Amino acid sequence: MLIFKFGKKSKLINYLFWTALDSLQSVFMAFILGRFIAAATKANMTLFLQNSVIAIVGFLIFCGISLLQVNAETRYVAAANLEIKQIMIKEILSTAPQTKAISDNISFMTNDLKLLETNGIKAEMDMVTNLLTFIFALVASLTYDIWTTLAFFVGSLVPLLISNFTQGRISQRGKEWSQANASFTNRLKDILTGKRTIRTYQAEATLGKKLVGLGSHLENSLRRMNLTIGVANSLAYTVAMLTAMTIPFGVGVYRIILGALTLASFISVMQLSNSIANPLMAIVGANNQRQTITEIQQRVLTAKQNQVAHAKNQSGLDQGQTIGEFSDLQLHNFAVTVDQRELFKQLNLKISAGEKVLITAPSGFGKSTLLAVLQDELVPSAGNYAFNGQPITQFSPTTVEEQFAWISQQPFAFDDTIQFNLTLGRHFSQQQIQQALQNAGLPQFSTDEGLNYQVGENGQNLSGGELQRLEIARAQLYDRPIILADEATSSLDQQTAEQVHQLFITSQKTLIEVAHQVPEDQLKDYDQVIRLDQVTMHG
């Protein structure tokens, strides 16, 4: 169960303690009701007054217990949700960017995890609450009359058998809803991102119709899921009314007629029967809800298991080899396949420290993919990748990542300040930050006011050239031994592009630059010019 896998154990124990006490309320109710019936049948005013005082004090105490139980429950749910979010955020951030669409991750983090809370964690907590209520009620009821209690108990088990026939169908409906939700979110993201294009070409009606169609499919999937759950619950409820209420009630009346059971005891058993049959029915309903999140739950559990295994491996790697000062990297007979398309085959390449390397080819030949390969983000289909003469697998992913600075052809900025976009939350001196901005051609942001300037969502408050220079400044600031530049000067004017080019070429760092076209007079600046479209490369 999820509640035993996530959240702080101390908060779970606290929740279970107060839930157990709160579950005794049904037993107390039956006790009070039986004593009132006894007082009425005996016309005993003293018993009536005593019982009234006990009832008032008891229910006030249970009111306090209920408040503490609610507080414990909400604290545990918050802790469990936070842990799950932390796990999934870590999984998303540690997964290669090409692995999953952005919209899929957004849909999972917002909609799927909310469904996991309601139909998973809270459903399981409801099951625990009802199980405790059931156990206490059953034990208390047995003290009044064993045969009537057994009739209620056996009759209450029948609806549980029905749920076994519906769980698979409910699980399938939950999977269909999750897929429909991901499709709707993906299309919504596309439309919001391309809103300017839509307005320019008056495509609102067409794309709006597509979105409404996906929305209709989503709502129908949700309706079918809820309908399946509702039908299963209704069927189980109908059977329960017959086997868990009508038949046991007849058994109790029959035993009163025989004189084996008093009316007061029967009323107490009847009161407790609600806490026997209803909790079982509630458990059936909650378990039906749990079937809708099977796939979501599996992804979260798999992510947690992978992170535990990774932590163990990381510990071993941290105690093992370190890269040390970069000397060279080498690909030998390297092959990469992306979406069933082979981009490289028997690729051989060696780059030594301090070299300036240009990778060029027309679009579609995998220039950017090669940079992802060097950052160890893609698993090769064949061949070897060595760093400082050692297989890349000997080093932890973090150790490899620390060797590279990356400048993208599609620069990205966080919706934050210039300073945060440069430092990404790490500490650098003001002198280091200002020098990086100067080198990248952004002196206007080197003041306190400039560093606190908000770049806006997707960097909308900056020009394309400023965004490009911001990435260059970040690479300068982090001072990594290898710079990966993917069309790094594509958004710059000619003068600034030349300044940045000279900055790269004169640097002591290793430069691996990808470019579609480079002026002929600049080719001489590179130690290696690798043309992916011509031949298989040999280092």
Side-chain angles (χ1 to χ4, degrees):
M1 294 181 75
L2 290 170
I3 60 174
F4 298 120
K5 297 180 183 296
F6 300 102
K8 291 185 178 180
K9 294 299 180 286
S10 59
K11 285 184 169 58
L12 177 60
I13 292 171
N14 186 50
Y15 157 74
L16 292 174
F17 173 76
W18 290 111
T19 299
L21 291 182
D22 191 49
S23 298
L24 289 169
Q25 193 163 177
S26 61
V27 176
F28 180 72
M29 171 66 82
F31 169 74
I32 291 297
L33 189 58
R35 284 173 61 90
F36 272 131
I37 296 298
T41 55
K42 296 177 182 179
N44 189 328
M45 181 59 71
T46 301
L47 180 60
F48 170 74
L49 293 175
Q50 289 176 344
N51 197 54
S52 298
V53 173
I54 294 173
I56 293 171
V57 174
F59 284 122
L60 287 175
I61 292 173
F62 274 110
C63 178
I65 291 174
S66 294
L67 293 175
L68 291 171
Q69 190 274 339
V70 169
N71 179 63
E73 178 181 338
T74 54
R75 284 180 176 273
Y76 170 73
V77 171
N81 283 339
L82 179 59
E83 182 179 347
I84 290 171
K85 282 184 171 63
Q86 287 173 332
I87 289 171
M88 297 315 302
I89 288 171
K90 188 174 182 180
E91 188 223 29
I92 290 171
L93 293 178
S94 63
T95 302
Q98 298 87 351
T99 302
K100 227 177 224 312
I102 293 173
S103 55
D104 288 345
N105 286 322
I106 292 174
S107 174
F108 188 86
M109 291 297 296
T110 54
N111 300 307
D112 288 7
L113 288 191
K114 185 62 180 177
L115 191 67
L116 185 70
E117 175 191 336
T118 56
N119 288 12
I121 293 174
K122 287 188 175 179
E124 289 182 355
M125 295 176 80
D126 287 343
M127 291 172 70
V128 169
T129 300
N130 284 292
L131 180 61
L132 290 171
T133 301
F134 166 78
I135 292 173
F136 293 145
L138 179 63
V139 172
S141 185
L142 287 171
T143 64
Y144 289 105
D145 184 64
I146 185 170
W147 295 109
T148 307
T149 299
L150 287 176
F152 278 113
F153 174 66
V154 173
S156 299
L157 293 179
V158 177
L160 296 177
L161 300 177
I162 296 176
S163 69
N164 292 330
F165 296 102
T166 60
Q167 288 182 6
R169 188 66 172 170
I170 292 172
S171 179
Q172 178 61 31
R173 292 302 191 195
K175 183 177 180 181
E176 291 172 359
W177 175 86
S178 183
Q179 292 171 344
N181 185 62
S183 298
F184 179 79
T185 305
N186 185 41
R187 178 61 68 179
L188 179 61
K189 171 182 169 290
D190 279 349
I191 288 176
L192 293 177
T193 303
K195 189 163 62 173
R196 184 168 183 175
T197 301
I198 294 170
R199 289 172 61 85
T200 299
Y201 296 102
Q202 293 85 47
E204 294 95 331
T206 303
L207 289 173
K209 185 177 180 180
K210 281 183 175 291
L211 188 60
V212 170
L214 288 172
S216 176
H217 178 58
L218 173 62
E219 291 304 319
N220 284 332
S221 297
L222 180 61
R223 184 190 67 82
R224 286 193 295 268
M225 182 180 74
N226 290 334
L227 177 62
T228 303
I229 295 174
V231 169
N233 290 344
S234 296
L235 181 60
Y237 180 81
T238 301
V239 173
M241 289 301 98
L242 177 64
T243 63
M245 290 299 294
T246 306
I247 295 176
F249 188 87
V251 171
V253 172
Y254 176 70
R255 288 183 57 75
I256 291 175
I257 293 172
L258 292 179
L261 183 66
T262 65
L263 178 60
S265 295
F266 177 66
I267 294 298
S268 294
V269 172
M270 281 296 300
Q271 175 63 35
L272 288 168
S273 71
N274 293 325
S275 298
I276 295 174
N278 291 343
L280 284 179
M281 288 304 304
I283 290 172
V284 170
N287 192 49
N288 286 338
Q289 285 184 303
R290 288 178 70 240
Q291 304 311 308
T292 65
I293 50 92
T294 302
E295 191 173 350
I296 302 170
Q297 174 179 299
Q298 188 56 50
R299 180 176 171 184
V300 174
L301 292 175
T302 299
K304 182 176 182 179
Q305 292 168 0
N306 290 342
Q307 288 171 23
V308 171
H310 175 73
K312 292 180 180 178
N313 294 334
Q314 182 75 34
S315 177
L317 289 169
D318 288 343
Q319 296 171 6
Q321 297 189 49
T322 57
I323 290 180
E325 185 177 352
F326 171 67
S327 62
D328 63 77
L329 62 83
Q330 187 169 1
L331 302 180
H332 178 66
N333 290 336
F334 209 78
V336 173
T337 301
V338 178
D339 294 333
Q340 299 182 337
R341 178 189 172 202
E342 190 174 60
L343 293 178
F344 311 125
K345 183 178 181 180
Q346 293 185 326
L347 174 63
N348 292 278
L349 145 69
K350 182 176 181 181
I351 299 175
S352 299
E355 279 194 310
K356 307 298 183 282
V357 179
L358 174 65
I359 300 171
T360 183
S363 299
F365 279 85
K367 300 186 299 297
S368 299
T369 301
L370 182 55
L371 297 188
V373 166
L374 296 177
Q375 282 189 284
D376 199 28
E377 286 189 354
L378 292 176
V379 178
S381 52
N384 301 307
Y385 180 13
F387 223 94
N388 287 2
Q390 298 295 320
I392 198 75
T393 53
Q394 297 296 313
F395 308 112
S396 70
T398 301
T399 303
V400 175
E401 290 162 3
E402 288 174 346
Q403 304 301 307
F404 296 98
W406 181 57
I407 303 168
S408 171
Q409 63 178 319
Q410 296 177 325
F412 172 79
F414 294 95
D415 187 5
D416 212 303
T417 63
I418 290 288
Q419 178 158 334
F420 177 82
N421 275 280
L422 280 174
T423 65
L424 300 181
R426 293 192 179 183
H427 176 73
F428 294 93
S429 69
Q430 289 298 101
Q431 182 179 357
Q432 289 175 305
I433 294 173
Q434 291 172 354
Q435 186 63 54
L437 288 168
Q438 291 284 346
N439 290 343
L442 293 172
Q444 67 272 29
F445 293 115
S446 59
T447 63
D448 289 342
E449 183 179 354
L451 289 173
N452 290 321
Y453 181 74
Q454 294 285 335
V455 304
E457 186 178 359
N458 295 324
Q460 64 184 13
N461 295 335
L462 301 178
S463 68
E466 287 174 331
L467 282 172
Q468 193 84 67
R469 290 194 290 270
L470 189 60
E471 285 214 337
I472 294 169
R474 184 191 301 137
Q476 289 277 310
L477 185 63
Y478 269 76
D479 196 29
R480 298 288 176 75
I482 306 170
I483 297 175
L484 301 179
D486 190 354
E487 303 282 1
T489 59
S490 60
S491 299
L492 306 179
D493 60 77
Q494 184 175 353
Q495 180 180 357
T496 305
E498 176 61 29
Q499 291 174 352
V500 171
H501 173 73
Q502 289 302 317
L503 182 65
F504 286 157
I505 293 300
T506 58
S507 168
Q508 298 299 312
K509 308 297 182 184
T510 304
L511 172 67
I512 305 175
E513 183 176 358
V514 159
H516 182 67
Q517 290 181 334
V518 174
E520 286 293 327
D521 62 329
Q522 289 186 2
L523 294 179
K524 67 181 186 304
D525 296 333
Y526 298 94
D527 298 297
Q528 293 189 61
V529 176
I530 300 171
R531 303 184 186 276
L532 289 184
D533 57 324
Q534 292 185 3
V535 293
T536 300
M537 290 154 286
H538 300 275

